[in-house]
Amino acid sequence: MKVLDMKGIVKKFGAEGFRAVDGVSLCVDSGEIVSIIGASGSGKSTLLRAVCTLERIDAGSIVIDGDTIVKDGVYAKESELLRIGRKSGMVFQHFNLFPHLTVLQNVTISPVKIYGETQDKADKRAMELLDMVGLANKANNYPSQISGGQKQRVAIARALALSPKLMLFDEPTSALDPEISGEVLQAIRRLAKSGMTMLLVTHEMGFAREISNRVVYMDEGRIVEQGGPDALFGAPKSERLQAFLQAVIQV
Amino acid sequence: MEYVSTIMPALLKGLVTTLQLFALTLCLSLPLGLVVSLGAMSRLWPVKAVSNVYIWLLRGTPLMLQLFFVYYALPAFGITLDRFPAAVTTFVLNYSAYFAEIYRAGIQSIDGGQYEAAKVLGFSRGKTMRYIIIPQTIRRIIPPVTNEVITLVKDTALATAIAVPELIKAAKDAANRDVNTTGYVIAAALYLVLTFLLTLVSRTLEKKYSISDREGGGRIIKDKKGRSLLLGGLFGGSL
């Protein structure tokens, strides 16, 4: 069962029509964990952002859990997009928590104000999620009072509050110091064990290898190579991936 | 001292008019400014153009000229206003343009990531503004807004140019009649008391809300409540 089905995605930028994503097709099955790796500017983040409609694609089709977001470059109606939107949860590199709301309010605002849940029910669910990411004791703190790693875990709980079918992570640890990225990776690991379908863009090669069922290598807006993590990292076929892994390891 | 007590009733009456002018201007220009600033950021170009021309005209010409225009020139276009309504109208138009620019700067200072986070959580453009952007903006614009409010207290003196019976007019009348400038001194003292009170209010507000971005605070305003709190605070201090 496919949770995410992308076909022939093209995203152009600027007057020149630079193709940030150039004809990418990618499926993610239920329960599968797929990591996208590649150099900066390879189009991996753009591809991820297209899934949650932060980027509008120029051509191609995206279907999430059987619902069509865009077919051959034509988007569904806004009301449809709103309904389908909650099927994917997004975690950003820079967390993007709402600084004027408490941790708990950050998690409940969308379910309550947008999707009409009662505050009681949303609070209860939020506390479960905060407990899962180990932050139940920070529920009444403001984002400015917690660390970067804690913020990112709150962001994960916030995304989960809409019960998504698919979780998207856009370099979730890139803005964190190495010694605290571990706690975020741990939260993602726990989520993986619970069977959540995930699509990650990451620079953490070790983590990608450990957690993924499949790793996709992108360069210049295209998928160059993909496969199981051990095959991809252990025996890369293409020269470009070999060079990329060489460069990453040296760093 | 005896002289002071003879002119005091007239001065206090002037003070009341000054305060009315001040309060009405604030009540109307703070929300109107929001409308204008949202217009200036609109995606519809005619709305955007009209809002920007409005801001440009009202910030680009002297307030006193605008007073003369509304009071003396508008009757030629069939709009005749009494002195006080003419003054209120002018001040509201003028200050809404300044507030609009403050709001715009505040709204545009909010990080783009806030809009993205709101979007993936299902917020429409309107709900993003209401629940996410404006509550954060309010806290950031408290210092420039209170600054403008203090300026407004002093600007109300300009209404004397169209003979609105406010504090300066009362002082001037007394001075002309009695050939004694004591009235001006008392007026100055009254303005100082007003601006001092407003400064206190603005300090309190800043302490309460502005810093909380960084330190987290503990009493952060919730969406719409924040605005009424802000207004309540300002008027509470001045009336």
Side-chain angles (χ1 to χ4, degrees), chain B:
Chain B
M1 209 56 218
E2 203 178 310
Y3 176 67
V4 170
S5 63
T6 60
I7 60 169
M8 213 50 195
L11 289 177
L12 287 178
K13 219 176 145 203
L15 177 66
V16 169
T17 306
T18 291
L19 289 176
Q20 284 170 337
L21 183 55
F22 169 77
L24 273 172
T25 301
L26 265 192
C27 280
L28 298 171
S29 63
L30 282 171
L32 181 61
L34 183 61
V35 174
V36 176
S37 77
L38 292 175
M41 289 179 290
S42 168
R43 282 182 292 191
L44 303 169
W45 75 263
V47 177
K48 190 173 174 154
V50 168
S51 308
N52 279 316
V53 167
Y54 177 94
I55 293 170
W56 175 64
L57 276 180
L58 286 153
R59 293 207 320 159
T61 56
L63 181 51
M64 184 155 345
L65 183 84
Q66 294 166 16
L67 271 172
F68 288 155
F69 181 81
V70 169
Y71 188 63
Y72 295 117
L74 277 190
F77 301 94
I79 305 169
T80 306
L81 293 171
D82 263 343
R83 297 174 197 283
F84 186 76
V88 171
T89 306
T90 312
F91 280 107
V92 167
L93 294 177
N94 183 276
Y95 269 80
S96 65
Y98 280 94
F99 287 137
E101 281 298 89
I102 292 173
Y103 296 156
R104 171 154 71 178
I107 288 171
Q108 287 176 344
S109 75
I110 304 290
D111 179 53
Q114 295 288 306
Y115 292 90
E116 293 196 342
K119 182 159 192 226
V120 299
L121 290 169
F123 286 77
S124 63
R125 210 175 137 80
K127 284 187 174 168
T128 301
M129 291 307 279
R130 180 173 159 200
Y131 292 115
I132 309 299
I133 305 302
I134 292 186
Q136 292 182 52
T137 304
I138 286 175
R139 290 188 290 149
R140 291 195 187 185
I141 61 173
I142 285 173
V145 165
T146 50
N147 211 21
E148 207 61 40
V149 169
I150 289 168
T151 306
L152 172 62
V153 176
K154 294 175 289 170
D155 273 356
T156 56
L158 283 171
T160 203
I162 56 169
V164 172
E166 44 67 67
L167 184 52
I168 292 288
K169 174 80 163 44
K172 195 171 69 179
D173 288 349
N176 289 346
R177 188 185 60 227
D178 308 330
V179 201
N180 186 328
T181 54
T182 310
Y184 288 130
V185 177
I186 298 170
L190 290 172
Y191 281 114
L192 281 172
V193 169
L194 284 184
T195 51
F196 175 71
L197 288 176
L198 283 173
T199 310
L200 285 186
V201 173
S202 75
R203 292 252 171 82
T204 316
L205 281 173
E206 275 173 45
K207 241 186 220 150
K208 208 165 169 188
Y209 302 119
S210 303
I211 312 162
S212 44
D213 245 346
R214 203 177 56 230
E215 294 184 346
R219 302 175 302 274
I220 296 185
I221 40 175
K222 286 179 195 168
D223 52 63
K224 285 184 301 179
K225 250 187 190 167
R227 208 174 312 157
S228 61
L229 253 179
L230 170 61
L231 292 172
L234 290 175
F235 293 130
S238 62
L239 288 177

Side-chain angles (χ1 to χ4, degrees), chain A residues 108 111-113 115-126:
Chain A
T108 60
V112 173
K113 300 291 184 194
Y115 294 102
E117 277 180 29
T118 62
Q119 189 71 51
D120 278 355
K121 199 178 150 213
D123 281 350
K124 216 175 139 206
R125 170 89 177 122

Side-chain angles (χ1 to χ4, degrees), chain A residues 49 52-56 78 82 85-86 88-90 92 94-101 105-106 109-110 113-115 142 144-145 158-159 162, chain B residues 111-124 127 130-133 135-136 139-140 212-223:
Chain A
R49 288 162 59 85
C52 55
T53 67
L54 284 174
E55 301 289 354
R56 293 243 161 178
E78 277 302 319
L82 177 67
R86 70 179 298 179
S88 65
M90 175 79 169
F92 297 92
H94 294 288
F95 334 129
N96 298 346
L97 293 184
F98 304 129
H100 62 301
L101 301 177
Q105 289 167 334
N106 262 278
I109 186 166
S110 171
K113 300 291 184 194
I114 307 298
Y115 294 102
Y142 285 89
S144 53
Q145 297 168 319
R158 181 173 70 174
L162 294 175
Chain B
D111 179 53
Q114 295 288 306
Y115 292 90
E116 293 196 342
K119 182 159 192 226
V120 299
L121 290 169
F123 286 77
S124 63
K127 284 187 174 168
R130 180 173 159 200
Y131 292 115
I132 309 299
I133 305 302
Q136 292 182 52
R139 290 188 290 149
R140 291 195 187 185
S212 44
D213 245 346
R214 203 177 56 230
E215 294 184 346
R219 302 175 302 274
I220 296 185
I221 40 175
K222 286 179 195 168
D223 52 63

Side-chain angles (χ1 to χ4, degrees), chain A residues 68-170:
Chain A
T68 303
I69 292 181
V70 50
K71 189 171 169 57
D72 299 328
V74 181
Y75 275 85
K77 285 185 304 204
E78 277 302 319
S79 55
E80 246 329 71
L81 291 179
L82 177 67
R83 185 181 64 80
I84 307 170
R86 70 179 298 179
K87 292 195 170 185
S88 65
M90 175 79 169
V91 175
F92 297 92
Q93 182 179 351
H94 294 288
F95 334 129
N96 298 346
L97 293 184
F98 304 129
H100 62 301
L101 301 177
T102 63
V103 162
L104 183 65
Q105 289 167 334
N106 262 278
V107 181
T108 60
I109 186 166
S110 171
V112 173
K113 300 291 184 194
I114 307 298
Y115 294 102
E117 277 180 29
T118 62
Q119 189 71 51
D120 278 355
K121 199 178 150 213
D123 281 350
K124 216 175 139 206
R125 170 89 177 122
M127 287 310 295
E128 286 169 17
L129 291 168
L130 288 173
D131 193 40
M132 194 196 91
V133 297
L135 289 172
N137 60 335
K138 299 285 182 191
N140 293 317
N141 286 72
Y142 285 89
S144 53
Q145 297 168 319
I146 61 178
S147 72
Q150 292 173 330
K151 282 182 197 172
Q152 194 60 299
R153 282 143 66 197
V154 173
I156 292 171
R158 181 173 70 174
L160 288 171
L162 294 175
S163 309
K165 296 277 197 275
L166 168 71
M167 281 289 282
L168 307 166
F169 293 87
D170 189 5

Side-chain angles (χ1 to χ4, degrees), chain A residues 2-76:
Chain A
K2 285 174 193 165
V3 171
L4 174 66
D5 188 357
M6 293 195 277
K7 280 202 189 86
I9 309 294
V10 175
K11 173 65 190 178
K12 297 181 210 164
F13 280 118
E16 309 263 301
F18 166 74
R19 288 168 178 247
V21 178
D22 192 7
V24 169
S25 297
L26 181 67
C27 286
V28 181
D29 286 330
S30 181
E32 199 181 13
I33 296 163
V34 177
S35 295
I36 309 175
I37 60 170
S40 301
S42 59
K44 57 193 193 307
S45 280
T46 307
L47 185 68
L48 193 77
R49 288 162 59 85
V51 178
C52 55
T53 67
L54 284 174
E55 301 289 354
R56 293 243 161 178
I57 59 172
D58 297 292
S61 305
I62 302 175
V63 177
I64 294 184
D65 192 37
D67 284 316
T68 303
I69 292 181
V70 50
K71 189 171 169 57
D72 299 328
V74 181
Y75 275 85

